[in-house]
Amino acid sequence: MTVDDTTSGAGAEPPSEPSVHATPHHEVDHTAEPTDDPLAIRLEQLILGADRRYTPFQAARTAGVSMDLASRFWRAMGFADIGQAKALTEADVLALRRLAGLVEAGLLSEPMAVQVARSTGQTTARLAEWQIDSFLEGLTEPPEPGMTRTEVTYPLVELLLPELEEFLIYVWRRQLAAATGRVVQAADDDEMVDRRLAVGFADLVGFTRLTRRLEEEELGELVEAFETTSADLVAAHGGRLIKTLGDEVLFAADDAGTAAEIALRLIEAMTQDETMPALRVGIAFGTVTTRMGDVFGTTVNLASRLTSIAPKDAVLVDGAFAEELTRTGDAPASEAQAAEEAAAAEKERAEGVEPLVVPKYRYGLQPMWQRPVRGLGVVEPWLLARRGTS
């Protein structure tokens, strides 16, 4: 993308720092200055709602912010250096002033404000790329012979912009409410950062071979179908999709039962789709560090390792996850225990007594051979299945 295509309300960086206006996922020319493509400028003015007025230095000075802090904010937002071109708007100045104001008021520390800029920039950059690549690109195909893309793009963006903006704010508020609810329910302050969660990876088997066999469009459709199905199932059953990595998704859940249901639903959905390769899932339960929407720690690493050794169309879990399922009554400690409990209940019925408790386990656990796992020592994985299928 050119500078003109990606200028946003965040601003650009001063001359000594990488600044603003290309997504952080691309290599950029850190000396590049905005071009004067008429359509790009018109679209920029439409989207930003303002004309170019400031150089990076002028924007920082107008906002009352040091060049050093402005540089850090702009770099964090993921924008490319525009040198000292006059390419920034009042919105850039306002955004810079707001971030700095949060620091001055003591509501955010300076490092936290930079993290806010970085997390927002990374998330919205991906969203904007997706909307252009997958949404607007298709809609801006000229509907009639002789019409140019230029003639179609401007009015289309003009119509879509307010609707997409309102929808973005709605979804963000909903997600913020959900995340805040989880935090206030934490047992203590430490649990807000280091929480006990079930973390799972779901990985398409043989994806590398598929990339060599399928056409690019077919591969893209397969990945999109996998990500869409995974996202829908994770959300519908009470989990959280942490991120997607093409052939792999990472999800988390507050309890083991929820994670078990998600994992088995993913396997079932993929096996029912003949176009999908086999899937394998690994889940671990334990303390997880959450930061900027991602999860880290030994539990996450263990889940990843379990995924790599899981059989096709199967779910492997660690011992802590198995214990948690047993503790909550979602799975028996052993199949022998489940058989004894069922026999006892049946005997009571035969004697004309209605059993007080009839265990109804949702899942079964089968211990597998202990094996060394790189970086984590020896672990004993368990094979998870629905009751009656293990």
Side-chain angles (χ1 to χ4, degrees), residues 30-95:
H30 290 291
T31 62
E33 294 196 1
T35 62
D36 294 320
D37 181 273
L39 176 60
I41 293 176
R42 287 182 63 213
L43 284 171
E44 177 187 285
Q45 291 172 340
L46 170 65
I47 294 170
L48 299 182
D51 296 331
R52 298 174 175 181
R53 292 187 56 185
Y54 304 101
T55 66
F57 176 80
Q58 291 169 339
R61 184 176 60 185
T62 304
V65 176
S66 71
M67 285 296 295
D68 178 66
L69 185 58
S71 165
R72 294 179 63 199
F73 284 151
W74 284 326
R75 181 193 294 117
M77 284 182 276
F79 297 117
D81 189 1
I82 60 167
Q84 282 302 301
K86 184 174 286 188
L88 307 186
T89 71
E90 290 289 351
D92 296 295
V93 172
L94 180 59

Side-chain angles (χ1 to χ4, degrees), residues 207-250:
F207 185 76
T208 302
R209 290 193 299 274
L210 280 175
T211 61
R212 294 192 291 264
R213 193 177 77 226
L214 296 179
E215 297 290 336
E216 288 185 5
E217 184 174 348
E218 293 176 308
L219 190 64
E221 291 174 354
L222 184 146
V223 168
E224 184 174 356
F226 171 58
E227 291 185 350
T228 300
T229 299
S230 299
D232 288 348
L233 286 174
V234 170
H237 295 282
R240 296 187 297 284
L241 187 69
I242 304 300
K243 58 186 173 184
T244 60
L245 304 169
D247 62 331
E248 188 174 57
V249 297
L250 170 61

